[in-house]
Amino acid sequence: MAKTLVYLEAKGDELKKISREMMTVARMLGESITGVISTGSDTALASAGKLGLGKLVNLAPEDSRLYAAEAFAAELAKLIEAEAPDYIIFGQTNLGRDLAARLAAATGIGYISDVTGIEPGEPPAFVKPLYAGKIIGKFRFKGEPPHILTIRPNIFSPAEAEGAEVSAETVQPDYSSARSVLTSIAEKAAGMIDLREATVIISGGRGIGEAANFQMLFDFADKVGAAVGASRAVVDEGWIEHAHQVGQTGKTVNPTLYIACGISGAIQHLAGMQTSKCIVAINTNESAPIFKVADYGIVGDCKEIVPLLLEEILKSRG
Amino acid sequence: MNIAVITKVVPDTEARLSLAGDHVDLSSVEMVINPFDEYGLEEALKIKDADENAKVHVLMVGPESARKLVVNCLALGADEAVVIDDEAIDSGNPLAVAEVLAAEIKKLDPTLVFAGKQGVDYDWGLTAVAVAQKLSWPHVGVVKEFTPDFAAGTFTAVTESDEGDLKFNGSLPAVITAEKGLNTPRYASLKGIMKAKKKPFAVHKLADTGADPAAAGTSQSKVEEVQAMHPPAREPGRIIEGEEVLDRVCELVRVLREEAKVL
Ligand SMILES: Cc1cc2nc3c(=O)[nH]c(=O)nc-3n(C[C@H](O)[C@H](O)[C@H](O)COP(=O)(O)OP(=O)(O)OC[C@H]3O[C@@H](n4cnc5c(N)ncnc54)[C@H](O)[C@@H]3O)c2cc1C
């Protein structure tokens, strides 16, 4: 019976969706699951305890010492020694990838990042996009377990809670030896949906016309419950922050619906969004490359179409 | 003060990639400096701009044929370059590459090492972190704001996350990996291009580096690429027609609800 260890993540009082996605992957790969989390929230801890874990460990954060790759990797290494998991699973999130890499470097355990698919077998194969999605690579771990992987958010379906409830054991990481420490989090404005977790994204490119017109996309996002994306061209123009950029040098996103407004569809942009379930393109140029990947397209001016689209979507929702 | 910038070459982001058997064939693909490394180099050059005693060293494990690309880093303002080209190095294994880079970096005794947040080829995001581990240094990954305080031997670094901006405090020396947005990379000047030709440029073999040949070698990798494939092409979509703009928008909303079921 294969054992797994999952590095769960919470945001405030809530478990992140990726935590439930990791549970799905853990159940695909093994049966007994140890969870590790680092949260100061009892509510988040209680939710984690209900996921169906055999054991739950909380790496307790301190007031101004919230995370340190060196210290956390050292604690995980000890836990791996004690629990002997076959797979150690992280989310491909900012801290997940950071800790997975430091742990792999510190222990020499084999590491496959950003996994988007798993093919069962003995041993299973792990699939991940390469070269910004132009190629799909299939990998296997060599040698004895354990093995480390990170999974891309929004790919695996989130698992439902099941099994008995466990309460968390607290472990105090030894921050004294850590020389790089997360000291504070500047929390995002409420209501902003993260691009990587969004189910609907509306993105703007140079065809939006000017910086002020992004307001139209933010209105849309606000009312429909979407996140706002952007092409690199408009980020480099300074119309919107880099945090919104989608593509090879921006974020890779996976929404159910991606609406590209005034975006030509350069290969580096497609790299970040072509795995979206449904792509809509709005562009004045009927031969824009974006139409080649779009499921539905409208040839026309996005400044005129986006407000109408918002109105019609709201009407259809009643 | 020495600053090291580690880099690699990757296929041009515009390039079409073809397969030879079960793997990608890069033999005729145009290569470029990994885009994220450009932000790492720029951050090093900014420090050099402010401190004329700072020396910027570019290090790359890769083919000597990429010389022109590394010389361009010198044209931008780096002082010296070392390319480590040796078939005995398992260049596909980040831990092996890190072993070689860490050995070269030790000789420089730098205050900072900059790298890109990941290579835009395999996106492992592991090499620079493993360099930090091998040097027994701290690292901060995916940095979008970096402020060193050389007098105090400390730094602050900001990275972005889905929770908000994360602020790290740390001590030097450290490894920092760059996110786009950290800075705006400069262009090479004519003067820089002329000067670059005379700057030190060394090509090393594995034996020159001082790295452990076993750790750098090909038998260590714990991950095997079984097969590379082209992704399935997306089904061709359709342009929504209609007399008036409003007709097209209404039809779009209908198909999104009824056919695609995504609203
Ligand atoms: C190393 C590298 C990395 C890169 N990384 C990224 C990345 O991560 N993400 C990214 O996006 N790009 C990236 N790029 C840049 C990419 O090559 C393109 O330059 C960029 O995506 C173009 O942005 P755009 O589509 O907004 O602008 P343009 O290409 O200028 O396209 C504007 C589009 O708007 C349409 N349009 C004009 N007016 C209207 C209107 N009123 N209504 C509707 N449509 C209209 C036009 O027909 C056109 O198709 C990268 C490039 C390099 C070299």
Side-chain angles (χ1 to χ4, degrees):
Chain A
M1 183 179 89
K3 288 161 85 175
T4 58
L5 188 149
V6 292
Y7 186 77
L8 304 165
E9 292 187 46
K11 181 168 167 180
D13 283 338
E14 267 177 61
L15 282 183
K16 287 190 201 167
K17 187 158 143 252
I18 186 76
S19 295
R20 295 181 197 283
E21 294 166 9
M22 282 186 260
M23 289 300 291
T24 299
V25 171
R27 283 180 195 152
M28 286 165 82
L29 294 171
E31 284 163 39
S32 145
I33 309 171
T34 297
V36 180
I37 193 166
S38 177
T39 175
S41 160
D42 290 337
T43 315
L45 217 47
S47 311
K50 292 188 191 104
L51 285 174
L53 299 164
K55 177 184 168 114
L56 174 62
V57 174
N58 186 20
L59 299 177
E62 295 173 9
D63 278 348
S64 58
R65 299 204 277 199
L66 302 168
Y67 165 80
E70 295 161 272
F72 278 40
E75 291 304 337
L76 284 180
K78 275 189 249 168
L79 207 62
I80 290 162
E81 187 90 345
E83 301 280 321
D86 297 277
Y87 294 97
I88 304 147
I89 305 164
F90 296 84
Q92 177 77 6
T93 60
N94 219 313
L95 290 185
R97 63 174 277 173
D98 190 67
L99 184 51
R102 190 85 197 199
L103 179 66
T107 58
I109 298 173
Y111 172 37
I112 300 178
S113 67
D114 206 14
V115 168
T116 55
I118 299 174
E119 289 179 9
E122 279 303 327
F126 297 88
V127 174
K128 82 182 223 110
L130 306 178
Y131 303 103
K134 283 181 211 170
I135 297 288
I136 306 293
K138 202 194 281 183
F139 296 85
R140 280 206 193 100
F141 288 108
K142 290 199 286 197
E144 293 300 305
H147 313 296
I148 300 175
L149 51 132
T150 61
I151 61 164
R152 183 178 285 193
N154 254 350
I155 298 281
F156 298 94
S157 58
E160 295 302 325
E162 64 179 45
E165 211 175 311
V166 293
S167 51
E169 294 166 27
T170 302
V171 168
Q172 202 60 54
D174 178 12
Y175 289 101
S176 63
S177 59
R179 292 148 304 162
S180 155
V181 177
L182 172 59
T183 49
S184 64
I185 302 178
E187 265 165 52
K188 273 204 185 141
M192 289 279 271
I193 297 174
D194 188 69
L195 272 177
R196 281 161 298 199
E197 290 194 356
T199 45
V200 180
I201 292 175
I202 185 155
S203 265
R206 201 173 273 149
I208 283 283
E210 56 177 313
N213 291 340
F214 260 96
Q215 193 50 47
M216 178 177 84
L217 303 191
F218 281 106
D219 280 346
F220 182 99
D222 189 37
K223 298 197 172 105
V224 170
V228 175
S231 73
R232 171 164 176 169
V234 295
V235 169
D236 289 355
E237 289 287 344
W239 294 1
I240 188 165
E241 271 181 67
H242 174 254
H244 294 272
Q245 184 184 316
V246 171
Q248 186 157 31
T249 47
K251 294 200 168 74
T252 304
V253 298
N254 252 307
T256 313
L257 174 60
Y258 187 92
I259 309 173
C261 309
I263 292 177
S264 58
I267 193 155
Q268 299 93 345
H269 188 81
L270 302 185
M273 43 65 79
Q274 62 196 354
T275 57
S276 305
K277 267 142 226 131
C278 177
I279 298 172
V280 170
I282 304 169
N283 198 302
T284 42
N285 175 3
E286 62 184 291
S287 48
I290 190 78
F291 287 125
K292 292 214 178 74
V293 300
D295 299 283
Y296 303 105
I298 294 189
V299 179
D301 182 350
C302 57
K303 296 188 290 294
E304 183 185 0
I305 291 167
V306 171
L308 290 176
L309 183 60
L310 172 60
E311 207 173 299
E312 290 308 315
I313 289 176
L314 294 178
K315 255 194 233 165
S316 76
R317 286 181 176 178
Chain B
M1 173 172 61
N2 284 330
I3 300 171
V5 176
I6 59 184
T7 186
K8 75 181 293 190
V9 291
V10 296
D12 186 330
T13 55
E14 302 279 349
R16 283 188 193 287
L17 299 178
S18 52
L19 299 171
D22 277 343
H23 300 282
V24 176
D25 174 15
L26 292 181
S27 56
S28 55
V29 173
E30 166 105 23
M31 303 297 275
V32 297
I33 290 286
N34 177 40
F36 289 113
D37 300 349
E38 294 177 6
Y39 303 100
L41 175 61
E42 176 61 29
E43 204 61 14
L45 296 177
K46 272 168 56 189
I47 293 169
K48 185 179 156 72
D49 289 344
D51 174 0
E52 57 182 26
N53 291 319
K55 269 198 139 101
V56 176
H57 301 259
V58 176
L59 303 173
M60 178 175 90
V61 172
E64 198 192 337
S65 59
R67 187 183 196 104
K68 215 176 72 204
L69 299 172
V70 180
V71 169
N72 191 53
C73 299
L74 298 174
L76 291 168
D79 297 283
E80 295 190 12
V82 177
V83 169
I84 307 105
D85 182 0
D86 195 327
E87 279 184 3
I89 301 169
D90 186 3
S91 57
N93 175 5
L95 295 186
V97 173
E99 170 67 25
V100 175
L101 291 171
E104 289 287 357
I105 289 167
K106 271 186 203 146
K107 296 185 219 163
L108 298 171
D109 189 25
T111 307
L112 275 163
V113 173
F114 289 107
K117 71 165 180 178
Q118 64 201 45
V120 301
D121 45 8
Y122 280 65
D123 298 332
W124 295 124
L126 179 54
T127 308
V129 178
V131 166
Q133 179 68 34
K134 284 183 189 282
L135 294 171
S136 195
W137 289 6
H139 81 270
V140 184
V142 201
V143 170
K144 67 167 193 178
E145 276 174 54
F146 180 68
T147 319
D149 180 341
F150 293 111
T154 60
F155 68 84
T156 63
V158 178
T159 87
E160 184 222 311
S161 82
D162 49 3
E163 284 163 79
D165 284 352
L166 310 178
K167 188 176 163 200
F168 286 81
N169 285 71
S171 62
L172 299 170
V175 175
I176 301 295
T177 83
E179 167 70 304
K180 175 178 180 281
L182 176 61
N183 50 45
T184 309
R186 65 196 65 191
Y187 291 98
S189 65
L190 200 57
K191 205 170 123 212
I193 294 169
M194 298 309 292
K195 272 177 144 175
K197 292 181 183 141
K198 297 194 198 81
K199 289 180 175 173
F201 189 113
V203 179
H204 286 178
K205 289 281 169 199
L206 178 54
D208 303 321
T209 64
D212 171 6
T218 44
S219 60
Q220 300 295 315
S221 176
K222 296 197 171 147
V223 172
E224 164 190 30
E225 179 178 312
V226 185
Q227 193 188 6
M229 300 155 279
H230 283 291
R234 283 190 85 95
E235 299 274 312
R238 78 171 210 253
I239 300 284
I240 309 265
E241 310 283 353
E243 196 62 20
E244 299 292 325
V245 175
L246 188 58
D247 301 334
R248 284 177 255 159
V249 170
C250 291
E251 173 63 5
L252 175 64
V253 173
R254 187 190 69 76
V255 294
L256 290 177
R257 286 181 75 87
E258 292 171 15
E259 282 176 17
K261 301 191 165 58
V262 291
L263 272 182

